[in-house]
């Protein structure tokens, strides 16, 4: 597990928490919530809290490339006042040209100063895809391509966190026919630890949780797409509250039929939950107020490589997609077949009951 080099001249997070008046009980409650989200056993909370308190405040450089600012909007919309935001305040965000006052050349100078002063020790957060077509000329700022900017800033980073599906895998910017040759960070940088936190946008708590867990114990366990397993270890379908309808073969056929009104499964309306790994079904959105499937729309697979080109959003998941995700096509097909058979049996029972009561 690669750990961040600790700068002795920086206060520890524990010291910053004490100065901010965060009590032990509040801090422990936060750590218990974090370890639960990451599916760690309850006894791990004390060790996690100790490691987090001892971690020194790191420098973070946040660079935006081909992006829509949705990921930064999501990150800054975490529910305030929250301990996540306090912890995020304890990170020294030395460069973020969307949030900082400086612009143009002054902003670039601030970035180079932050790089020089913290060379080899900063966390680099990348937001947005990187254009590679025609030497990257489709994405530029201050006379330099994003491609060259990324190579410069990545060289001195201790680790890179790619936030959003665009920074992780190219995302929306890489959608067919991808005229700018957009790619994700891991396609270009091969010699640094990279953690992908995909989503369009990612869940704020997953972004802050990944950073906090990295501060406490280094690069977390990642899946084959470099996502933290703690947050991306299950499919949406694994944890979806509509799963009981899927298992019984009860599917909405349109967005306003009886099935939709009864909250049945959205598989036949194109839900990508069975092939999408993310924590929406458990952490939810807007401080836990709800999430897309609860609002009546299927998952569109925004945290997966290949998003946006996964076939139409309103066609059921294909066998090809199941197999691209490394999932068993036979098991998935069997699940649908069992569900469909159960659905037919349920329909037959309903018809029989109706004829008996006429
Ligand atoms: S297909 Fe979608 S709506 Fe149906 S159970 Fe799976 S995740 Fe939920
Ligand atoms: S439900 Fe699916 S599409 Fe919606 S935010 Fe979660 S992973 Fe992305």
């Amino acid at each position: 597990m690669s750990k961040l080099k600790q700068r002795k001249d920086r206060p520890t997070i524990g010291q910053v928490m004490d100065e901010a008046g965060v009590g032990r009980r509040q801090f422990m409650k936060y750590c218990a919530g974090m370890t639960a989200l990451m599916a760690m056993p309850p006894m791990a909370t004390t060790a996690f809290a100790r490691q987090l308190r001892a971690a020194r405040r790191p420098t973070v450089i946040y660079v935006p490339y081909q992006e829509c600012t949705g990921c930064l909007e999501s990150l800054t919309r975490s529910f305030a006042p929250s301990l996540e935001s306090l912890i995020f305040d304890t990170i020294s965000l030395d460069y973020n040209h969307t949030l900082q006052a400086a612009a143009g050349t002054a902003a670039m100078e601030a970035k180079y100063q932050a790089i020089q002063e913290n060379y080899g020790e900063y966390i680099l957060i990348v937001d947005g895809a990187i254009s590679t077509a025609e030497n990257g000329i489709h994405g530029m700022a201050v006379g330099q391509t994003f491609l060259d900017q990324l190579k410069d800033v990545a060289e001195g980073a201790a680790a890179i966190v790619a936030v959003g599906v665009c920074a992780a895998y190219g995302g929306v910017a890489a959608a067919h026919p991808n005229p700018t040759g957009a790619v994700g960070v891991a396609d270009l940088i091969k010699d640094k630890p990279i953690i992908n936190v995909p989503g369009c946008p990612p869940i704020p708590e997953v972004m802050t949780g990944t950073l906090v867990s990295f501060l406490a114990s280094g690069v977390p366990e990642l899946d084959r797409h470099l996502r933290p397993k703690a947050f991306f270890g299950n499919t949406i379908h694994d944890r979806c509250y509509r799963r009981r309808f899927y298992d019984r073969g009860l599917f909405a056929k349109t967005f306003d039929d009886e099935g939709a009104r009864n909250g049945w499964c959205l598989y036949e309306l194109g839900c990508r939950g069975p092939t999408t790994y993310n924590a929406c079904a458990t952490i939810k959105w807007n401080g836990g107020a709800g999430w897309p499937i609860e609002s009546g729309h299927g998952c569109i697979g925004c945290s997966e490589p290949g998003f946006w080109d996964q076939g139409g959003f309103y066609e059921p998941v294909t066998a090809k997609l199941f197999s691209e995700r490394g999932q068993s096509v036979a098991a998935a097909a069997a699940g649908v077949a069992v569900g469909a058979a159960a659905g037919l049996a349920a329909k037959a029972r309903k018809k029989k009951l109706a004829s008996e009561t006429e």
Side-chain angles (χ1 to χ4, degrees), residues 235-247 250-251 263-276 281 291 293-294 297-299 317:
T235 63
I236 297 285
H237 186 64
D238 288 335
R239 301 294 171 92
C240 179
Y241 74 103
R242 297 193 191 220
R243 177 65 183 265
R244 62 201 164 102
F245 295 117
Y246 172 95
D247 289 340
L250 296 173
F251 302 107
W264 290 357
C265 172
L266 302 169
Y267 178 85
E268 293 192 2
L269 292 171
C271 180
R272 294 286 182 267
T275 51
T276 302
W291 64 295
I293 288 175
E294 208 172 327
H297 196 286
C299 167
V317 181

Side-chain angles (χ1 to χ4, degrees), residues 200-229:
C200 187
I203 301 170
E205 288 82 357
V206 171
M207 285 189 270
T208 53
T210 299
L211 284 172
V212 166
S213 122
F214 178 48
L215 290 182
S217 44
V219 177
E221 194 184 353
L222 305 176
D223 71 5
R224 68 194 176 110
H225 297 303
L226 305 181
R227 299 173 290 200
K229 280 190 179 174

Side-chain angles (χ1 to χ4, degrees), residues 9-344:
D9 59 338
R10 293 281 167 82
T12 64
I13 288 180
Q15 287 165 340
V16 178
M17 290 287 139
D18 292 344
E19 272 170 33
V22 177
R24 185 179 180 281
R25 185 186 293 258
Q26 195 186 357
F27 185 67
M28 289 306 292
K29 194 174 160 200
Y30 172 75
C31 290
M34 281 305 308
T35 49
L37 280 182
M38 293 187 282
M40 290 161 76
M43 64 271 249
T45 301
T46 309
F48 180 84
R50 195 171 48 240
Q51 287 167 331
L52 187 57
R53 276 189 72 82
R56 291 192 183 265
R57 187 177 191 239
T59 283
V60 172
I61 295 178
Y62 189 119
V63 288
Y65 296 136
Q66 279 178 292
E67 46 85 40
C68 66
T69 318
C71 298
L72 186 59
E73 283 277 343
S74 178
L75 186 56
T76 55
R77 292 294 186 278
S78 58
F79 271 57
S82 70
L83 199 58
E84 290 99 310
S85 60
L86 268 178
I87 284 181
F88 200 59
D89 287 343
T90 68
I91 288 167
S92 175
L93 190 58
D94 283 13
Y95 176 83
N96 179 312
H97 81 207
T98 310
L99 297 179
Q100 70 191 28
T105 308
M108 295 304 265
E109 279 169 6
K111 183 173 79 175
Y112 285 116
Q113 190 180 347
I115 292 173
Q116 270 172 10
E117 288 174 2
N118 302 281
Y119 197 85
E121 294 168 355
Y122 56 86
I123 298 174
L124 174 64
I125 299 182
V126 180
D127 178 358
I130 304 97
S131 163
T132 60
E134 299 176 81
N135 295 320
I137 58 163
H138 301 284
M140 296 187 80
V142 203
Q144 192 185 22
T145 64
F146 293 152
L147 186 58
D148 287 340
Q149 288 184 28
L150 175 68
K151 286 176 186 163
D152 279 356
V153 73
E155 196 181 293
I160 304 175
V161 181
V163 297
V165 72
C166 300
Y169 314 123
V172 179
H176 181 76
N178 190 4
T180 68
V183 297
V185 176
D187 291 313
L188 298 168
I189 307 296
K190 305 290 183 189
D191 59 349
K192 301 283 173 186
I194 294 176
I195 306 170
N196 285 333
V197 188
C200 187
I203 301 170
E205 288 82 357
V206 171
M207 285 189 270
T208 53
T210 299
L211 284 172
V212 166
S213 122
F214 178 48
L215 290 182
S217 44
V219 177
E221 194 184 353
L222 305 176
D223 71 5
R224 68 194 176 110
H225 297 303
L226 305 181
R227 299 173 290 200
K229 280 190 179 174
F231 298 110
F232 296 90
N234 293 105
T235 63
I236 297 285
H237 186 64
D238 288 335
R239 301 294 171 92
C240 179
Y241 74 103
R242 297 193 191 220
R243 177 65 183 265
R244 62 201 164 102
F245 295 117
Y246 172 95
D247 289 340
R248 288 161 59 202
L250 296 173
F251 302 107
K253 309 285 183 196
T254 68
F255 284 105
D256 60 355
D257 67 4
E258 191 193 348
R261 282 193 290 278
N262 288 335
W264 290 357
C265 172
L266 302 169
Y267 178 85
E268 293 192 2
L269 292 171
C271 180
R272 294 286 182 267
T275 51
T276 302
Y277 290 79
N278 205 343
C280 306
T282 45
I283 298 179
K284 300 191 177 180
W285 283 85
N286 300 317
W291 64 295
I293 288 175
E294 208 172 327
S295 303
H297 196 286
C299 167
I300 59 172
C302 78
S303 56
E304 289 298 320
F307 177 78
W308 178 276
D309 299 322
Q310 305 173 105
F313 287 140
Y314 299 103
E315 298 297 323
V317 181
T318 59
K320 183 169 169 278
L321 196 54
F322 273 116
S323 120
E324 279 169 12
R325 297 282 178 269
Q327 292 170 319
S328 160
V329 181
V336 177
V338 166
L344 286 176

